[in-house]
């Protein structure tokens, strides 16, 4: 039992699951080239926006015939524009295993009010039965469930000859996990997650089949300007070259470009995945070595390497939610881990962000503090 405080603290205690830690080389000076006070439609603005798009393609290995757009309202904006623009053409399957997927299912059933919708739900810690998914329908899912720490292990379950589209919220997976682009028709993410960029803008990645849907199907409901990707039945190609629908933050764009530059220095996608894997492994190993803590994900193959969620399993704990909150509070008060309480809708526990901007040395320095905070709280309750 550890009652003494560990000697060392993480150099950076930022383990929030979004906005996530800036990359370790970040300084505000790195943003000095931002074309502030200039039009995003001037040559310099357009060049930066196109560099953000093409840098994304390069690092994520997105095929040349996929469109990549920078859109308003972060990942939420990107997901909503896909749902409202494309759904309704055929039946829909919503795969839900945590809070964000549940939110998308609510929008499709209660706001869009589509009738041919099957919602397949699994408890926190598990996945729905992926073998039962009907790919004649459009399928909406979250690659990495940020609030449960459960991800799909790969895209093998997605049919190559699907008739419907796959619409994937990959915001806590992109830049940390392999995304099989041939299986994904619409993919969304935001800058504030794995690369530690700024909130505000979302990215939407469209396969040729997604573009075909946009050009061949007009929903029965009106679409606000910030969701519209077509004009007169044709894709607005400019959006995918950096002519954004409305005004972007050029400071956020500069920050994203700096994050992409940093990503290149750690070996691009491979390096980012390796960093997240090493961080997550440190937490997994800690859970294996202690019998009072466990990963929330039941199946090791589905454990997230970014939003690692853990639960306390000690029989002495009286009130699970209060206990977990108190542990998170102790960690924050000691300045060793900020924002690691489980998401508000998730089971009691902690969520430790392990994406590539976090240093493995910091995760390793945090873990003895977990031991300390757990034992301190057991003694205090
Ligand atoms: C899976 C998932 N979807 C959507 C969101 C919302 O993202 P944003 O606030 O960037 O719109 C989050 C944020 O944590 C998330 O984890």
């Amino acid at each position: 039992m550890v009652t003494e405080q560990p000697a060392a603290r993480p150099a950076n205690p930022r383990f929030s699951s979004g906005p996530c830690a800036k990359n370790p080389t970040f300084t505000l000076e790195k943003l000095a080239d931002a074309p502030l006070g200039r039009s995003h439609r001037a040559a310099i603005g357009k060049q930066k926006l196109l560099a953000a798009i093409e840098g994304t393609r390069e690092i994520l290995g997105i095929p040349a015939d996929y469109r990549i757009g920078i859109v308003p309202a972060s990942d939420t904006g990107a997901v909503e524009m896909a749902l409202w623009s494309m759904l309704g053409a055929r039946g829909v399957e919503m795969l839900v295993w945590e809070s964000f997927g549940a939110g998308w299912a609510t929008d499709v059933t209660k706001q869009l009010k589509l009738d041919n919708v099957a919602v397949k739900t699994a408890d926190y810690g598990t996945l729905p039965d992926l073998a039962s998914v009907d790919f004649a329908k459009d399928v909406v899912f979250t690659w990495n469930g940020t609030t449960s720490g459960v991800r799909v292990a790969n895209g093998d379950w997605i049919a190559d000859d699907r008739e419907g589209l796959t619409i994937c919220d990959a915001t806590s997976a992109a830049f940390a996990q392999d995304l099989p682009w041939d299986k994904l028709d619409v993919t969304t993410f935001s800058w504030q997650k794995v690369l530690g960029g700024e909130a505000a803008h979302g990215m939407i990645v469209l396969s040729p089949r997604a573009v075909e849907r946009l050009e061949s199907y007009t929903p029965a409901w009106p679409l606000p300007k910030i969701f519209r990707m077509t004009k007169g039945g044709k894709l607005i190609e400019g959006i995918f070259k950096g002519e954004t629908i409305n005004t972007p933050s050029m400071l956020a764009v500069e920050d994203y470009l700096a994050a992409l530059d940093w990503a290149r220095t750690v070996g691009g996608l491979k390096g980012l995945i390796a960093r997240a894997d090493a961080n997550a492994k440190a937490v997994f190993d800690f859970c294996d070595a202690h019998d009072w803590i466990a990963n929330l994900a039941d199946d090791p193959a589905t454990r997230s390497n970014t939003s690692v969620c853990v639960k306390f399993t000690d029989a002495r704990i009286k009130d699970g939610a209060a206990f977990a909150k108190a542990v998170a509070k102790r960690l924050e008060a000691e300045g060793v881990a900020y924002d690691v309480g489980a998401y508000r809708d998730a089971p009691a526990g902690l969520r430790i962000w392990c994406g590539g901007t976090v240093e493995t040395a910091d995760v390793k320095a945090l873990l003895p503090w977990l031991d300390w905070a757990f034992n301190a709280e057991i003694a205090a309750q």
Side-chain angles (χ1 to χ4, degrees), residues 232-307:
K234 295 299 286 177
L235 190 74
I236 305 172
E237 294 282 358
I239 295 174
F240 305 93
K241 298 188 176 107
E243 292 160 25
T244 49
I245 297 171
N246 66 339
T247 311
S249 159
M250 295 312 294
L251 191 59
V253 171
E254 194 70 17
D255 179 73
Y256 183 61
L257 291 173
L260 291 171
D261 277 344
W262 169 77
R264 290 182 184 100
T265 69
V266 297
L269 182 60
K270 257 198 176 150
L272 290 167
I273 293 173
R275 287 175 65 91
D277 282 350
N279 290 342
K281 182 174 184 300
V283 182
F284 299 166
D285 289 350
F286 181 85
C287 291
D288 287 345
H290 296 83
D291 58 5
W292 47 264
I293 189 166
N295 201 293
L296 187 58
D298 285 349
D299 175 359
T302 68
R303 283 179 189 162
S304 174
N305 65 349
T306 56
S307 57

Side-chain angles (χ1 to χ4, degrees), residues 73-76 100 104 142 146 169 171 190 192-193:
S74 208
D75 180 62
T76 309
F100 285 101
W104 307 140
T142 301
T146 321
D169 173 358
T171 198
S190 81
Q192 52 101 357
K193 276 277 185 300

